[in-house]
Amino acid sequence: MFDKLFQAQQKAEEIKKRLDTISVSGEAEGGLIRVVATANKEIKEITIDPVFLSNADKEELEELLVVALNKAIVQAESISQAEMQAASKDMLGGLGGLFNQ
């Protein structure tokens, strides 16, 4: 039984490492603001078009940053959930034998 739990823990670590290698992005204003993050929801890059930046006011910039960040986080969450669901199915299949012994 502990073997199965250890395997599940290892699988979770593998998923976390894989999610660190997957990039997602969110954009606002047609790409004038772009946020890149990992599927583990770690922000890696924020790009703001220099012309837009020179003409934008603080409030507008803040609102659009929130939009772009939220889009990236939604994508990251979607990928993370899909990975976890796939892993759960694998683990539950393996745990089935635990109760049949």
Side-chain angles (χ1 to χ4, degrees):
M1 181 168 156
F2 290 111
D3 263 359
K4 297 291 182 186
L5 293 175
F6 181 70
Q7 288 174 357
Q9 196 173 28
Q10 283 183 318
K11 185 72 170 175
E13 284 298 315
E14 288 173 21
I15 291 169
K16 184 179 180 333
K17 286 179 185 175
R18 186 168 49 247
L19 292 175
D20 280 336
T21 66
I22 298 171
S23 290
V24 297
S25 66
E27 295 182 352
E29 281 304 295
L32 295 177
I33 295 178
R34 185 168 189 261
V35 174
V36 177
T38 68
N40 269 331
K41 302 175 197 121
E42 181 181 344
I43 305 301
K44 291 294 190 177
E45 179 182 329
I46 297 176
T47 307
I48 302 171
D49 180 88
V51 174
F52 173 77
L53 182 60
S54 66
N55 295 320
D57 64 16
K58 179 181 181 289
E59 188 175 289
E60 180 183 20
L61 181 58
E62 289 171 346
E63 287 175 10
L64 294 174
L65 275 170
V66 168
V67 169
L69 285 162
N70 282 330
K71 286 180 179 182
I73 289 170
V74 165
Q75 274 192 333
E77 184 64 28
S78 176
I79 290 170
S80 179
Q81 283 182 356
E83 289 284 331
M84 291 304 229
Q85 285 176 347
S88 294
K89 287 180 183 178
D90 289 345
M91 285 188 281
L92 289 176
L95 289 175
L98 182 70
F99 298 108
N100 294 331
Q101 293 179 355

